[in-house]
């Protein structure tokens, strides 16, 4: 996001124009009227208790996550949750299966603690578990985004999920399940989490959620669900990192969830995002033609734009940035060379006119890169 501005086609920003600001403001004012002293005191590192209770109930109802409030740790977003898990569960030299291409901040968190990150290919069924078993059967951890693979957008099949849990159970290894776009599935109901499956390996799953992409990025609140008995260790580690998240925002979010506003907002955004995706794909085909192929995705808040052979996604992204357009090259999310270059494009926070202007500018950049 360039200098704090939401420019086309930045990733990870929800439809801010459709957020129920008045409801949020009313809940904020009510909290400060009722509980000013409580909002000015720190929490214990695990997070504001009513929020943890609300998250536990919501995660079970909406995502099938099996947990109690004692297993929920409030974080400053999903990336902090990944860093906590890496710090507590990995030793220097431990091997980690990492989706290829994959979420680069997760890779950075693992390498920061000295782990050896092993790229495992992703296909139409998600992480290739057989490949992982072939290169590192005794890896200590696997990082996956099964509900909407980051960045390819595939959904991990049930067979792959079960194979991954089989491995976790037999090897005693950990699985980090980052469910960052799990709510936004457009083809049928959202899939249940791996953590909630009836399988011995589900006890080895660390589940991550974030509110940055469902509410607004500046909130900087997320959560991690840990296995029973690990809550105290994760709470102490959270305290040592940055003490806690702002209590006032946690209290408002707890009310927002408990009173049903969050579930209603997610349902409304699911419909809106599907409409905006259809509009984006139609405009992209009109404005870009064969210079970049954009196909619809079954979930999420981003799309992939596939480039013709020989066109550098990095060069196109650099040209776009010079003209005020923010796109992410797929190659920057790979440890190896991708089979085909592409751009990642966010589409949900932009109006019809913003999308149209942005795609026309991107078309100019594509023509320049081919010259």
């Amino acid at each position: 996001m360039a200098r704090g501005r939401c420019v086309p086609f930045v990733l990870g920003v929800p439809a801010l124009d459709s957020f129920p600001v008045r409801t949020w403001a009313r809940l904020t004012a009510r909290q400060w009227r009722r509980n000013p002293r409580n909002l000015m005191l720190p929490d214990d590192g695990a997070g504001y208790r009513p929020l943890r209770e609300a998250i536990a109930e919501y995660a079970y109802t909406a995502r099938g996550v099996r947990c109690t409030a004692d297993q929920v740790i409030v974080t400053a977003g999903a990336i902090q949750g990944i860093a906590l898990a890496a710090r507590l569960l990995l030793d220097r030299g431990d091997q980690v299966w990492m989706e290829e291409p994959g979420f680069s901040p997760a890779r950075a968190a693992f390498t920061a603690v000295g782990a050896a990150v092993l790229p495992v290919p992703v296909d139409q069924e998600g992480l290739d578990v057989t490949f992982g078993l072939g290169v590192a059967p005794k890896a200590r951890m696997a990082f996956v985004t099964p509900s909407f693979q980051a960045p390819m957008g595939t959904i991990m099949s049930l067979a792959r999920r079960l194979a991954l849990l089989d491995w976790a159970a037999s090897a005693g290894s950990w699985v980090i399940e980052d469910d960052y776009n799990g709510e936004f599935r457009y083809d049928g109901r959202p899939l249940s989490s791996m953590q909630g499956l009836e399988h011995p390996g589900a006890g080895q799953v660390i589940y991550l959620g974030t509110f940055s992409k469902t509410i607004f990025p500046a909130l900087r609140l997320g959560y991690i669900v840990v296995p029973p008995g690990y809550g105290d260790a994760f709470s102490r580690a959270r305290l040592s990192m940055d003490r806690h998240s702002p209590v006032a925002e946690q209290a408002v979010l707890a009310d927002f969830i408990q009173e049903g506003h969050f579930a209603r907002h997610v349902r409304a955004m699911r419909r809106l995002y599907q409409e905006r995706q259809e509009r984006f794909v139609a405009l992209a085909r009109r404005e870009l033609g064969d210079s970049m192929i954009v196909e619809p995705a079954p979930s999420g808040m981003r799309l992939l734009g596939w480039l013709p052979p020989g066109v550098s996604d990095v060069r196109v992204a650099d040209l776009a940035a010079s003209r005020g357009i923010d796109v992410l090259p797929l190659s920057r999310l790979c440890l190896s060379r991708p089979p085909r270059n592409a751009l990642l494009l966010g589409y949900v926070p932009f109006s019809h006119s913003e999308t149209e202007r942005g795609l026309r500018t991107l078309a100019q950049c594509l023509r320049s890169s081919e010259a």
Side-chain angles (χ1 to χ4, degrees):
M1 196 181 307
R3 295 183 293 278
R5 295 182 295 115
C6 183
V7 300
F9 297 101
V10 68
L11 301 175
V13 180
L16 302 178
D17 58 326
S18 297
F19 182 72
V21 174
R22 291 185 179 179
T23 299
W24 188 267
R26 176 174 59 80
L27 297 178
T28 300
R30 188 179 70 186
Q31 276 289 342
W32 279 106
R33 285 196 306 271
R34 292 181 177 178
N35 306 303
R37 181 178 176 82
N38 291 342
L39 302 185
M40 292 185 283
L41 294 172
D43 67 38
D44 60 359
Y48 182 66
R49 182 74 188 189
L51 176 57
R52 292 162 61 200
E53 292 170 349
I55 289 172
E57 182 177 354
Y58 171 79
Y60 176 72
T61 302
R63 309 295 302 122
V65 175
R66 301 173 185 271
C67 67
T68 67
D70 291 332
Q71 294 171 249
V72 176
I73 310 297
V74 177
T75 62
I79 294 174
Q80 186 177 66
I82 298 168
L84 279 170
R87 179 175 172 181
L88 286 174
L89 302 177
L90 295 175
D91 293 323
R92 182 170 294 276
D94 281 349
Q95 296 175 315
V96 179
W97 293 0
M98 180 77 200
E99 294 173 326
E100 173 74 358
F103 186 46
S104 53
R107 188 184 301 127
F110 301 139
T111 56
V113 299
V117 175
L118 304 175
V120 178
V122 171
D123 60 23
Q124 291 303 308
E125 291 191 70
L127 184 83
D128 188 341
V129 178
T130 300
F131 182 96
L133 290 170
V135 297
K138 296 183 179 179
R140 183 62 176 155
M141 182 178 287
F143 177 85
V144 291
T145 52
S147 295
F148 184 74
Q149 200 278 329
M152 300 303 292
T154 57
I155 297 173
M156 184 181 283
S157 68
L158 179 60
R160 290 282 177 86
R161 292 171 188 237
L162 295 175
L164 186 60
L165 293 178
D166 285 342
W167 165 75
S170 62
S173 301
W174 297 101
V175 175
I176 295 185
E177 178 183 9
D178 186 353
D179 197 31
Y180 76 106
N181 265 170
E183 290 92 347
F184 299 128
R185 186 179 183 216
Y186 311 125
D187 183 15
R189 290 176 56 84
L191 299 175
S192 295
S193 66
M194 281 200 307
Q195 191 269 5
L197 292 175
E198 291 283 357
H199 190 289
Q204 299 295 113
V205 176
I206 308 292
Y207 178 88
L208 297 173
T210 180
F211 296 103
S212 296
K213 295 175 178 62
T214 49
I215 297 185
F216 51 84
L219 187 63
R220 296 309 308 149
L221 288 176
Y223 60 95
I224 182 169
V225 177
V226 302
Y230 283 80
D232 287 345
F234 274 81
S235 296
R236 290 193 297 270
R238 174 74 168 89
L239 278 169
S240 70
M241 293 181 86
D242 64 350
R243 301 298 294 175
H244 58 84
S245 296
V247 175
E249 282 77 2
Q250 292 187 67
V252 175
L253 179 55
D255 288 349
F256 194 70
I257 296 172
Q258 289 170 340
E259 296 179 14
H261 304 296
F262 181 65
R264 285 191 293 273
H265 178 61
V266 168
R267 288 194 298 270
M269 292 306 96
R270 191 180 298 131
R271 293 189 296 270
L272 177 65
Y273 294 176
Q274 183 175 17
E275 293 170 3
R276 290 189 176 182
Q277 182 186 120
E278 291 170 355
R279 181 190 68 195
F280 186 95
V281 170
L283 285 172
R285 288 172 178 169
R286 189 188 77 189
E287 299 294 336
L288 305 177
D290 294 333
S291 60
M292 189 172 75
I293 304 302
V294 180
E295 297 293 343
S299 301
M301 300 163 57
R302 62 173 66 175
L303 293 168
L304 274 170
W306 296 103
L307 299 174
V311 176
S312 167
D313 54 1
V314 173
R315 173 169 167 74
V316 175
D318 289 344
L319 284 170
S322 70
R323 301 184 187 187
I325 300 296
D326 189 324
V327 292
L328 179 64
L330 176 64
S331 60
R332 287 184 177 160
L333 301 179
C334 300
L335 288 177
S336 57
R337 184 180 180 86
R340 186 177 174 188
N341 285 338
L343 300 174
L344 276 76
L345 308 108
Y347 63 88
V348 301
F350 309 112
S351 66
H352 182 97
S353 59
E354 288 173 321
T355 298
E356 193 171 43
R357 287 195 301 270
L359 287 171
R360 286 176 180 170
T361 301
L362 187 56
Q364 296 169 3
C365 297
L366 288 163
R367 288 193 293 269
S368 298
S369 69
E370 294 171 354

